[in-house]
Amino acid sequence: MKNKLSMETLASLCKRRGFIFQSSEIYGGINGFWDYGPLGCELKRNVREAWWKNIVQHRENIVGLDASIIMHPKVWEASGHVGGFADPMVDCKSCKKRYKGDNLCEEQGKKLIKTEKGFALPEGIKCTSCGSKDLTEPRSFNLMFKTFVGPVEDESAIAYLRPETAQGIFAQFGNVLATSRQKVPFGIAQIGKAFRNEINPRNYTFRSREFEQMELEFFVKPGSDQQWHDYWVEERMKWYQSIGLPAESLNKYVYKKEELAHYASACVDIMYDFPFGMQELEGIAARGDFDLGRHQQFSGKSMEYFNQETNERFVPHVVEPSAGVDRIVLALLCNAYCEEWIGKEDQVMPAEPGKQPPEGFEARTVMRFHPKIAPVKVAVFPLLKNKPELMEKARGVFDTLQKWFPSFWDVSGAIGRRYRRQDEIGTPFCVTIDFDTLTNNTVTIRERDSMKQERIEIAKLTEKIHETLA
Ligand code: ATP
């Protein structure tokens, strides 16, 4: 049984070990922006790579795209973001705290009311900070970051940082179709930064103002939307489990008819059980021909697809699985975190929060990442650093492993302490080079979760680690 993790505990480990830092920390930080340190950026890279392999590399009918962040402002008029990408902002007149209206209501078990002009607060909503009921009416606040292109800062130079990567795909639909010679059904995938001027960034990296998305636009024949939507929901659920999130920590939220956007025929959110509640990792929506249709209308360029075999011409419908890298990384960190007490014979018991381990036991924090996702795959330890022959042998092993895997070299402290340091960053394997290695070319390899040690030939090390990662 795992104890409930506090986000402060996780953030403290992430800072101490170099997963995540506050952006611009030396200047006091900037709310809603985060930097990924040496281990965090490896972790993030592994998430992106796992997604790209699964979505693009392993499928013949999906291709990639890397579109620019700033696009023609008309893109955002066509997409509806200029007119409608707004959140209801509510301020407490008493303590000045600012809220996203829908979140404030949900926290108090109520729903924000939709009115003709915008939104209204239901009866009885209070400021969660000071308790005052003296709140402003919800005002619409557009979440897009504005900037200017070129030296003149006037209306005609206004541009936006993209609030999602999807529109880059829709805008290039024609070029990709013409150059990749794909046939419907086919998909275009993209990974990249997105920016939203969130009213209330919170829950660590969960709601940030700069984040990364992994989006797939899967174009289908009208009428097959439901079938492909079901397919992608199942595919995506399997993928989350393949990177180490257990089925019981995941959930699907199926949108009711009245919750859907007017153009959508279905939407399912994949949710993860975070310490701060069940929250969205990814949304999978069947969006009909809304996006291509709007770009066709605004650009005057045809977005039709012509099927030569059947002589049919149509604007494809789209199914969109849209995931956030940062939220997935956060889910993986939460899921991996584990505190245990271990005995001299490697007996294990769950740590009790705030208590010292019993006599003969010591505490360890272990990040149980799936080996595929772990930032460092293997650490190499020479038993003693003052024995040149051990150091030289160990260096040889390290150089070989480093060609294949992100590897870590550590010579300082007792072996037990070196194990603990690797456990805390989730390294699946530690390899120790000792005096026997010098005579028979074998090493001990120790596995993170079971803490079992095994003696194997140096020549078999790479293969063994590869097997676990496959
Ligand atoms: P939310 O309701 O939480 O604001 P959303 O439904 O607006 O999210 P989408 O527009 O569907 O989110 O974006 C797709 C994905 O992008 C989300 O599932 C999430 O993983 C990620 N994402 C969206 N906004 C943020 C954010 N502010 N910070 C981090 N990730 C985000």
Side-chain angles (χ1 to χ4, degrees):
M1 250 295 283
K2 270 175 75 164
N3 295 311
K4 197 169 159 78
L5 170 68
S6 91
M7 293 313 283
E8 289 71 31
T9 306
L10 182 70
S12 148
L13 177 127
C14 285
K15 180 173 178 195
R16 192 170 72 245
R17 300 310 312 268
F19 283 96
I20 299 172
F21 308 124
Q22 207 182 8
S23 165
S24 330
E25 194 195 80
I26 56 168
Y27 294 103
I30 168 165
N31 196 9
F33 298 88
W34 299 93
D35 295 342
Y36 289 81
L39 295 177
C41 70
E42 290 292 336
L43 187 58
K44 217 172 166 193
R45 239 166 49 83
N46 294 340
V47 169
R48 285 192 214 105
E49 247 164 51
W51 187 86
W52 195 262
K53 265 199 184 141
N54 179 272
I55 297 291
V56 182
Q57 189 187 328
H58 293 171
R59 297 172 200 262
E60 276 174 74
N61 62 347
I62 300 182
V63 292
L65 180 74
D66 189 1
S68 63
I69 286 174
I70 291 180
M71 293 189 275
H72 196 291
K74 268 258 156 68
V75 167
W76 305 110
E77 283 175 40
S79 68
H81 284 83
V82 170
F85 191 55
D87 271 348
M89 180 165 74
V90 174
D91 289 309
C92 171
K93 290 187 193 161
S94 173
C95 74
K96 310 291 177 224
K97 188 148 167 98
R98 177 159 285 171
Y99 296 97
K100 192 168 171 249
D102 44 348
N103 287 349
L104 183 67
C105 297
E106 274 160 29
E107 280 168 9
Q108 298 175 42
K110 298 193 173 164
K111 268 209 145 137
L112 191 69
I113 303 165
K114 263 195 183 149
T115 64
E116 251 172 44
K117 284 198 195 134
F119 295 97
L121 290 176
E123 272 296 301
I125 296 293
K126 292 188 284 204
C127 170
T128 49
S129 179
C130 73
S132 164
K133 286 189 178 167
D134 197 8
L135 306 170
T136 64
E137 278 304 306
R139 290 154 294 152
S140 267
F141 170 75
N142 195 298
L143 297 182
M144 280 200 294
F145 277 101
K146 262 189 202 166
T147 186
F148 299 95
V149 173
V152 185
E153 297 193 356
D154 65 11
E155 275 293 302
S156 68
I158 288 179
Y160 303 95
L161 301 191
R162 66 180 177 201
E164 60 174 36
T165 63
Q167 296 306 322
I169 297 179
F170 296 125
Q172 289 296 1
F173 171 76
N175 279 330
V176 176
L177 182 63
T179 52
S180 64
R181 305 177 63 221
Q182 288 288 343
K183 293 195 170 75
V184 167
F186 82 101
I188 307 176
Q190 170 161 227
I191 301 179
K193 289 268 185 167
F195 303 81
R196 295 183 188 178
N197 199 359
E198 296 281 357
I199 294 169
N200 199 0
R202 59 185 186 155
N203 290 331
Y204 200 19
T205 57
F206 181 84
R207 186 173 300 286
S208 311
R209 289 178 165 142
E210 173 174 341
F211 56 96
E212 210 168 326
Q213 288 186 317
M214 305 191 289
E215 293 196 297
L216 165 66
E217 304 305 326
F218 195 74
F219 300 101
V220 306
K221 193 173 164 186
S224 62
D225 312 47
Q226 188 61 50
Q227 166 206 335
W228 283 111
H229 186 258
D230 293 348
Y231 170 82
W232 280 111
V233 171
E234 286 324 303
E235 283 293 286
R236 298 300 302 141
M237 286 296 282
K238 279 192 258 170
W239 182 79
Y240 283 104
Q241 291 166 63
S242 78
I243 59 167
L245 295 179
E248 59 275 17
S249 70
L250 298 167
N251 213 343
K252 286 185 264 190
Y253 178 81
V254 182
Y255 282 59
K256 300 182 193 79
K257 263 228 141 46
E258 62 273 20
E259 291 172 324
L260 292 172
H262 66 89
Y263 47 79
S265 60
C267 187
V268 168
D269 284 346
I270 297 183
M271 322 274 284
Y272 173 77
D273 194 5
F274 285 99
F276 46 85
M278 200 45 105
Q279 298 281 344
E280 173 183 337
L281 292 176
E282 165 163 355
I284 304 164
R287 301 174 57 89
D289 64 0
F290 177 76
D291 306 276
L292 288 181
R294 291 277 289 193
H295 286 298
Q296 178 165 278
Q297 182 192 340
F298 277 66
S299 69
K301 305 280 187 313
S302 169
M303 295 286 167
E304 280 181 337
Y305 170 81
F306 179 61
N307 184 335
Q308 284 176 331
E309 281 145 34
T310 60
N311 257 345
E312 285 172 292
R313 198 178 279 283
F314 56 85
V315 174
H317 284 196
V318 74
V319 174
E320 176 193 78
S322 167
V325 183
D326 309 77
R327 287 190 186 176
I328 298 170
V329 166
L330 187 60
L332 290 168
L333 286 164
C334 291
N335 183 67
Y337 189 96
C338 187
E339 285 178 18
E340 311 176 323
W341 290 338
I342 50 173
K344 293 239 157 26
E345 254 70 75
D346 289 345
Q347 313 93 304
V348 181
M349 58 168 115
E352 289 177 44
K355 290 206 182 141
Q356 289 300 318
E359 186 71 29
F361 281 74
E362 64 164 319
R364 81 159 178 165
T365 300
V366 52
M367 294 298 277
R368 292 185 193 276
F369 294 120
H370 190 295
K372 195 156 83 179
I373 289 302
V376 177
K377 310 295 184 203
V378 56
V380 177
F381 311 150
L383 185 64
L384 300 167
K385 70 172 169 193
N386 55 2
K387 297 281 176 221
E389 59 283 26
L390 282 182
M391 289 289 274
E392 194 186 327
K393 192 79 187 168
R395 203 68 216 180
V397 172
F398 178 73
D399 288 346
T400 308
L401 291 176
Q402 205 187 17
K403 290 200 180 83
W404 294 100
F405 317 106
S407 309
F408 196 91
W409 171 256
D410 191 358
V411 295
S412 62
I415 293 292
R417 296 224 6 228
R418 292 185 236 175
Y419 282 156
R420 293 296 160 269
R421 285 200 287 264
Q422 294 306 313
D423 289 343
E424 216 187 21
I425 63 168
T427 307
F429 296 109
C430 293
V431 169
T432 304
I433 284 79
D434 57 21
F435 290 103
D436 288 345
T437 314
L438 302 178
T439 56
N440 63 11
N441 273 324
T442 64
V443 293
T444 52
I445 180 163
R446 179 255 196 193
E447 200 270 328
R448 177 195 68 202
D449 297 345
S450 64
M451 296 180 283
K452 291 238 155 55
Q453 298 181 22
E454 182 191 341
R455 233 180 144 94
I456 74 166
E457 287 169 40
I458 291 175
K460 295 203 171 129
L461 263 180
T462 313
E463 191 188 328
K464 179 171 170 77
I465 301 170
H466 269 308
E467 265 168 25
T468 325
L469 303 180

